[in-house]
PDB file of all heavy atoms in Angstrom:
ATOM      1  N   TYR X 372      -3.259   7.047  -6.875  1.00 65.00           N
ATOM      2  CA  TYR X 372      -3.360   6.312  -8.139  1.00 65.00           C
ATOM      3  C   TYR X 372      -2.168   6.523  -9.059  1.00 65.00           C
ATOM      4  O   TYR X 372      -2.150   5.999 -10.166  1.00 65.00           O
ATOM      5  CB  TYR X 372      -4.655   6.701  -8.866  1.00 65.00           C
ATOM      6  CG  TYR X 372      -5.880   6.112  -8.233  1.00 65.00           C
ATOM      7  CD1 TYR X 372      -6.665   6.846  -7.354  1.00 65.00           C
ATOM      8  CD2 TYR X 372      -6.252   4.793  -8.485  1.00 65.00           C
ATOM      9  CE1 TYR X 372      -7.788   6.300  -6.758  1.00 65.00           C
ATOM     10  CE2 TYR X 372      -7.376   4.235  -7.895  1.00 65.00           C
ATOM     11  CZ  TYR X 372      -8.135   5.001  -7.038  1.00 65.00           C
ATOM     12  OH  TYR X 372      -9.236   4.453  -6.445  1.00 65.00           O
ATOM     13  N   VAL X 373      -1.169   7.285  -8.608  1.00 72.00           N
ATOM     14  CA  VAL X 373       0.009   7.510  -9.447  1.00 72.00           C
ATOM     15  C   VAL X 373       0.724   6.200  -9.771  1.00 72.00           C
ATOM     16  O   VAL X 373       1.111   5.969 -10.938  1.00 72.00           O
ATOM     17  CB  VAL X 373       0.957   8.524  -8.786  1.00 72.00           C
ATOM     18  CG1 VAL X 373       2.294   8.577  -9.531  1.00 72.00           C
ATOM     19  CG2 VAL X 373       0.310   9.906  -8.765  1.00 72.00           C
ATOM     20  N   PRO X 374       0.951   5.282  -8.806  1.00 69.00           N
ATOM     21  CA  PRO X 374       1.577   4.007  -9.177  1.00 69.00           C
ATOM     22  C   PRO X 374       0.780   3.235 -10.212  1.00 69.00           C
ATOM     23  O   PRO X 374       1.351   2.640 -11.129  1.00 69.00           O
ATOM     24  CB  PRO X 374       1.652   3.253  -7.840  1.00 69.00           C
ATOM     25  CG  PRO X 374       1.626   4.311  -6.802  1.00 69.00           C
ATOM     26  CD  PRO X 374       0.755   5.390  -7.352  1.00 69.00           C
ATOM     27  N   PHE X 375      -0.558   3.244 -10.068  1.00 68.00           N
ATOM     28  CA  PHE X 375      -1.379   2.548 -11.054  1.00 68.00           C
ATOM     29  C   PHE X 375      -1.300   3.232 -12.418  1.00 68.00           C
ATOM     30  O   PHE X 375      -1.334   2.576 -13.460  1.00 68.00           O
ATOM     31  CB  PHE X 375      -2.830   2.503 -10.577  1.00 68.00           C
ATOM     32  CG  PHE X 375      -2.999   1.813  -9.263  1.00 68.00           C
ATOM     33  CD1 PHE X 375      -3.206   2.539  -8.110  1.00 68.00           C
ATOM     34  CD2 PHE X 375      -2.936   0.436  -9.174  1.00 68.00           C
ATOM     35  CE1 PHE X 375      -3.359   1.910  -6.890  1.00 68.00           C
ATOM     36  CE2 PHE X 375      -3.093  -0.210  -7.963  1.00 68.00           C
ATOM     37  CZ  PHE X 375      -3.297   0.529  -6.815  1.00 68.00           C
ATOM     38  N   LEU X 376      -1.197   4.566 -12.393  1.00 74.00           N
ATOM     39  CA  LEU X 376      -1.032   5.296 -13.645  1.00 74.00           C
ATOM     40  C   LEU X 376       0.252   4.879 -14.335  1.00 74.00           C
ATOM     41  O   LEU X 376       0.291   4.689 -15.555  1.00 74.00           O
ATOM     42  CB  LEU X 376      -1.027   6.806 -13.362  1.00 74.00           C
ATOM     43  CG  LEU X 376      -0.790   7.711 -14.581  1.00 74.00           C
ATOM     44  CD1 LEU X 376      -1.906   7.541 -15.595  1.00 74.00           C
ATOM     45  CD2 LEU X 376      -0.684   9.164 -14.130  1.00 74.00           C
ATOM     46  N   GLY X 377       1.323   4.713 -13.540  1.00 77.00           N
ATOM     47  CA  GLY X 377       2.593   4.262 -14.118  1.00 77.00           C
ATOM     48  C   GLY X 377       2.469   2.888 -14.744  1.00 77.00           C
ATOM     49  O   GLY X 377       3.006   2.636 -15.838  1.00 77.00           O
ATOM     50  N   VAL X 378       1.766   1.989 -14.079  1.00 72.00           N
ATOM     51  CA  VAL X 378       1.568   0.642 -14.624  1.00 72.00           C
ATOM     52  C   VAL X 378       0.775   0.705 -15.915  1.00 72.00           C
ATOM     53  O   VAL X 378       1.103   0.034 -16.906  1.00 72.00           O
ATOM     54  CB  VAL X 378       0.860  -0.246 -13.581  1.00 72.00           C
ATOM     55  CG1 VAL X 378       0.476  -1.585 -14.193  1.00 72.00           C
ATOM     56  CG2 VAL X 378       1.744  -0.455 -12.363  1.00 72.00           C
ATOM     57  N   CYS X 379      -0.274   1.530 -15.937  1.00 75.00           N
ATOM     58  CA  CYS X 379      -1.093   1.652 -17.141  1.00 75.00           C
ATOM     59  C   CYS X 379      -0.303   2.239 -18.305  1.00 75.00           C
ATOM     60  O   CYS X 379      -0.440   1.799 -19.452  1.00 75.00           O
ATOM     61  CB  CYS X 379      -2.318   2.517 -16.852  1.00 75.00           C
ATOM     62  SG  CYS X 379      -3.507   1.761 -15.712  1.00 75.00           S
ATOM     63  N   VAL X 380       0.526   3.238 -18.015  1.00 81.00           N
ATOM     64  CA  VAL X 380       1.338   3.842 -19.066  1.00 81.00           C
ATOM     65  C   VAL X 380       2.320   2.822 -19.633  1.00 81.00           C
ATOM     66  O   VAL X 380       2.499   2.711 -20.852  1.00 81.00           O
ATOM     67  CB  VAL X 380       2.080   5.079 -18.520  1.00 81.00           C
ATOM     68  CG1 VAL X 380       3.129   5.570 -19.520  1.00 81.00           C
ATOM     69  CG2 VAL X 380       1.085   6.196 -18.213  1.00 81.00           C
ATOM     70  N   CYS X 381       2.955   2.042 -18.735  1.00 79.00           N
ATOM     71  CA  CYS X 381       3.896   1.018 -19.207  1.00 79.00           C
ATOM     72  C   CYS X 381       3.176  -0.031 -20.052  1.00 79.00           C
ATOM     73  O   CYS X 381       3.703  -0.475 -21.085  1.00 79.00           O
ATOM     74  CB  CYS X 381       4.583   0.355 -18.012  1.00 79.00           C
ATOM     75  SG  CYS X 381       5.710   1.433 -17.110  1.00 79.00           S
ATOM     76  N   GLY X 382       1.954  -0.403 -19.605  1.00 75.00           N
ATOM     77  CA  GLY X 382       1.190  -1.367 -20.394  1.00 75.00           C
ATOM     78  C   GLY X 382       0.809  -0.825 -21.750  1.00 75.00           C
ATOM     79  O   GLY X 382       0.858  -1.540 -22.761  1.00 75.00           O
ATOM     80  N   ALA X 383       0.446   0.469 -21.803  1.00 79.00           N
ATOM     81  CA  ALA X 383       0.094   1.078 -23.088  1.00 79.00           C
ATOM     82  C   ALA X 383       1.298   1.155 -24.010  1.00 79.00           C
ATOM     83  O   ALA X 383       1.197   0.892 -25.222  1.00 79.00           O
ATOM     84  CB  ALA X 383      -0.490   2.466 -22.853  1.00 79.00           C
ATOM     85  N   LEU X 384       2.469   1.512 -23.445  1.00 82.00           N
ATOM     86  CA  LEU X 384       3.682   1.593 -24.260  1.00 82.00           C
ATOM     87  C   LEU X 384       4.062   0.221 -24.804  1.00 82.00           C
ATOM     88  O   LEU X 384       4.445   0.082 -25.974  1.00 82.00           O
ATOM     89  CB  LEU X 384       4.832   2.172 -23.439  1.00 82.00           C
ATOM     90  CG  LEU X 384       4.702   3.654 -23.063  1.00 82.00           C
ATOM     91  CD1 LEU X 384       5.849   4.070 -22.145  1.00 82.00           C
ATOM     92  CD2 LEU X 384       4.688   4.528 -24.313  1.00 82.00           C
ATOM     93  N   TYR X 385       3.961  -0.788 -23.964  1.00 77.00           N
ATOM     94  CA  TYR X 385       4.286  -2.138 -24.432  1.00 77.00           C
ATOM     95  C   TYR X 385       3.332  -2.570 -25.539  1.00 77.00           C
ATOM     96  O   TYR X 385       3.745  -3.140 -26.558  1.00 77.00           O
ATOM     97  CB  TYR X 385       4.218  -3.121 -23.264  1.00 77.00           C
ATOM     98  CG  TYR X 385       4.519  -4.544 -23.681  1.00 77.00           C
ATOM     99  CD1 TYR X 385       5.830  -5.007 -23.706  1.00 77.00           C
ATOM    100  CD2 TYR X 385       3.500  -5.413 -24.068  1.00 77.00           C
ATOM    101  CE1 TYR X 385       6.111  -6.309 -24.106  1.00 77.00           C
ATOM    102  CE2 TYR X 385       3.764  -6.707 -24.458  1.00 77.00           C
ATOM    103  CZ  TYR X 385       5.080  -7.147 -24.480  1.00 77.00           C
ATOM    104  OH  TYR X 385       5.351  -8.424 -24.891  1.00 77.00           O
ATOM    105  N   THR X 386       2.041  -2.301 -25.333  1.00 76.00           N
ATOM    106  CA  THR X 386       1.056  -2.669 -26.338  1.00 76.00           C
ATOM    107  C   THR X 386       1.323  -1.964 -27.661  1.00 76.00           C
ATOM    108  O   THR X 386       1.229  -2.563 -28.737  1.00 76.00           O
ATOM    109  CB  THR X 386      -0.358  -2.314 -25.844  1.00 76.00           C
ATOM    110  OG1 THR X 386      -0.608  -2.985 -24.603  1.00 76.00           O
ATOM    111  CG2 THR X 386      -1.412  -2.731 -26.857  1.00 76.00           C
ATOM    112  N   GLY X 387       1.674  -0.694 -27.587  1.00 78.00           N
ATOM    113  CA  GLY X 387       1.890   0.078 -28.807  1.00 78.00           C
ATOM    114  C   GLY X 387       3.138  -0.326 -29.570  1.00 78.00           C
ATOM    115  O   GLY X 387       3.145  -0.319 -30.806  1.00 78.00           O
ATOM    116  N   PHE X 388       4.201  -0.681 -28.844  1.00 77.00           N
ATOM    117  CA  PHE X 388       5.487  -0.924 -29.509  1.00 77.00           C
ATOM    118  C   PHE X 388       5.801  -2.400 -29.729  1.00 77.00           C
ATOM    119  O   PHE X 388       6.581  -2.741 -30.612  1.00 77.00           O
ATOM    120  CB  PHE X 388       6.631  -0.301 -28.698  1.00 77.00           C
ATOM    121  CG  PHE X 388       6.658   1.203 -28.751  1.00 77.00           C
ATOM    122  CD1 PHE X 388       6.154   1.946 -27.709  1.00 77.00           C
ATOM    123  CD2 PHE X 388       7.161   1.872 -29.866  1.00 77.00           C
ATOM    124  CE1 PHE X 388       6.167   3.327 -27.746  1.00 77.00           C
ATOM    125  CE2 PHE X 388       7.176   3.248 -29.920  1.00 77.00           C
ATOM    126  CZ  PHE X 388       6.680   3.984 -28.856  1.00 77.00           C
TER     127      PHE X 388
END
Side-chain angles (χ1 to χ4, degrees):
Y372 286 98
V373 170
F375 301 104
L376 177 63
V378 172
C379 292
V380 169
C381 292
L384 291 175
Y385 179 87
T386 302
F388 288 100

